[in-house]
């Protein structure tokens, strides 16, 4: 029997506030929920307020079969919220509340013990906007075993990133995922040259000695690189409801599949199929159909 992978998301837990409803979100939280749906022993490391949204966030994680004992309840800061606006094509823009609970994730001995058990961890830039969470995130990632996949999901939002945070994150990462809008920004901040997306991604991977690099291009599909291998995969057509969480679902699919040693092309195909399905549904987290959960090619 194959051992269940221990996979953690660390960073923001928040609520995406749409004109008509509030939906659970946060890139690493979405990632954790999708890895749980795909069969991992999933954990979330974050903080929420002692408020209704915080209680609902913990309940949502629990229903998704994500361990949330490592989600602290912060009596001094509110649970994170972000106002989401969708354009006519379903593309999302975001406005984040300041100084929320996930900006103050505190390091504990329990987090160190969890980090040492992880087969993979996913982290981004947004939750590193405040010094407290930045220090905890970087310490947690660095405390995972050297064999673990340390997935840096760049996830640039508004002004909440800089060259220092991106470079420090790449230094401790073993894999990176970013989209076609983020790649030239990251390349510029890291002084990475290249006349094409492929060249920039390849140089980024080689410079930071990454095991895996993933570039998502929306409706154009995705490019994966690992070692000397590459895989280009077209997007799976979908009637887009909204794109929120699609990239997180893509990341959640490639991490366990890569750790399982599947061929790069098979990893890319399933990740695109999972992301396409998420685009066809409202919100970032939902039950995945069985054919996506059991798919191995």
């Amino acid at each position: 029997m194959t051992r269940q992978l221990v996979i953690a998301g660390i960073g923001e837990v928040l609520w995406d506030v749409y004109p008509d409803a509030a939906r659970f979100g946060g890139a690493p939280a979405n990632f954790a929920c999708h890895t749980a749906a795909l069969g991992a022993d999933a954990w979330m490391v974050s903080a929420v307020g002692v408020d209704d949204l915080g209680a609902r966030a913990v309940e949502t994680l629990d229903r998704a079969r994500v361990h949330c004992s490592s989600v602290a309840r912060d009596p001094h800061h509110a649970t994170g919220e972000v106002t989401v606006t969708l354009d006519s094509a379903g593309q999302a823009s975001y406005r984040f509340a300041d100084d929320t609970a996930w900006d103050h994730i505190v390091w504990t001995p329990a987090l160190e013990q969890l980090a040492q058990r992880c087969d993979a961890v996913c982290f981004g830039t947004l939750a590193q906007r405040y010094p407290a969470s930045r220090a905890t995130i970087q310490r947690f990632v660095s405390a995972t075993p050297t064999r673990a996949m340390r997935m840096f999901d760049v996830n640039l939002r508004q002004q909440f990133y800089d060259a220092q945070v991106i470079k420090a994150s790449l230094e401790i990462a073993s894999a990176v995922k970013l989209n076609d809008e983020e790649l030239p920004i990251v390349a510029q901040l890291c002084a990475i040259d290249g006349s094409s997306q492929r060249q920039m991604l390849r140089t980024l991977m080689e410079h930071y000695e990454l095991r895996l690099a993933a570039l998502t291009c929306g409706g154009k599909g995705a490019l994966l690189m690992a070692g000397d291998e590459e895989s280009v995969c077209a997007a799976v057509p979908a009637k887009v409801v909204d794109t929120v969480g699609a990239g997180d679902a893509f990341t959640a699919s490639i991490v366990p599949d890569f750790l399982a040693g599947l061929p790069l092309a098979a990893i890319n195909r399933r990740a695109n199929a999972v992301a396409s399905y998420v685009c066809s549904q409202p919100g970032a987290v939902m039950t995945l159909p069985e054919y996506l959960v059991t798919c191995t090619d």
Side-chain angles (χ1 to χ4, degrees):
M1 182 176 178
T2 305
R3 182 179 67 85
Q4 197 175 21
L5 294 172
V6 178
I7 300 180
I10 182 168
E12 64 272 19
V13 167
L14 49 78
W15 288 87
D16 293 323
V17 181
Y18 294 76
D20 62 338
R23 299 192 183 110
F24 178 81
N30 298 337
F31 168 86
C33 291
H34 286 303
T35 56
L38 292 168
D41 182 14
W43 293 73
M44 185 65 210
V45 180
S46 189
V48 297
V50 183
D51 50 29
D52 179 60
L53 287 179
R56 288 168 59 191
V58 171
E59 290 170 3
T60 302
L61 288 164
D62 188 61
R63 283 198 306 271
R65 302 190 305 280
V66 175
H67 299 288
C68 41
S69 59
S70 47
V71 178
R73 301 300 296 269
D74 183 341
H76 306 295
H77 302 93
T79 300
E81 294 184 42
V82 53
T83 303
V84 181
T85 304
L86 300 175
D87 66 16
S88 59
Q91 298 291 325
S93 59
Y94 309 86
R95 184 167 55 83
F96 291 84
D98 292 325
D99 197 20
T100 58
W102 56 260
D103 289 308
H104 301 275
I105 305 170
V106 177
W107 182 257
T108 65
L111 291 189
E112 182 161 22
Q113 292 173 4
L114 173 59
Q116 292 170 350
R117 295 177 50 222
C118 281
D119 295 294
V121 59
C122 182
F123 68 108
T125 52
L126 177 59
Q128 297 187 64
R129 65 181 184 173
Y130 276 62
S133 287
R134 185 186 315 139
T136 297
I137 289 167
Q138 294 187 12
R139 188 171 179 180
F140 186 95
V141 173
S142 298
T144 61
T146 54
R147 60 170 173 75
M149 178 174 249
R150 300 170 174 181
M151 172 58 76
F152 176 36
D153 183 356
V154 176
N155 202 30
L156 302 182
R157 291 289 181 260
Q158 294 175 209
Q159 76 280 15
F160 302 124
Y161 62 90
D162 56 32
Q164 183 180 358
V165 166
I166 289 173
K167 289 177 181 178
S169 298
L170 285 165
E171 290 286 355
I172 59 175
S174 63
V176 67
K177 177 261 176 187
L178 66 178
N179 64 35
D180 53 355
E181 294 180 353
E182 293 164 339
L183 177 59
I185 298 171
V186 171
Q188 181 181 23
L189 292 174
C190 296
I192 297 294
D193 294 324
S195 58
S196 67
Q197 291 178 333
R198 182 191 166 279
Q199 288 179 338
M200 284 189 285
L201 191 66
R202 172 64 64 184
T203 304
L204 188 71
M205 186 178 75
E206 292 176 349
H207 183 80
Y208 288 100
E209 299 180 348
L210 303 173
R211 297 163 59 192
L212 175 68
L215 177 69
T216 57
C217 303
K220 297 178 181 178
L223 166 64
L224 299 187
M225 293 182 177
D228 295 329
E229 287 188 80
E230 295 184 11
S231 168
V232 176
C233 183
V236 177
K239 183 177 180 181
V240 175
V241 174
D242 72 57
T243 60
V244 178
D248 309 325
F250 184 95
T251 310
S253 179
I254 65 174
V255 168
D257 283 356
F258 185 80
L259 289 173
L262 295 182
L264 210 57
I267 294 170
N268 208 353
R269 282 194 295 272
R270 174 152 82 155
N272 272 276
V274 171
S276 175
Y277 181 80
V278 171
C279 285
S280 74
Q281 305 295 311
V285 174
M286 70 288 298
T287 301
L288 295 176
E290 188 65 22
Y291 75 90
L292 290 175
V293 174
T294 57
C295 174
T296 57
D297 193 335

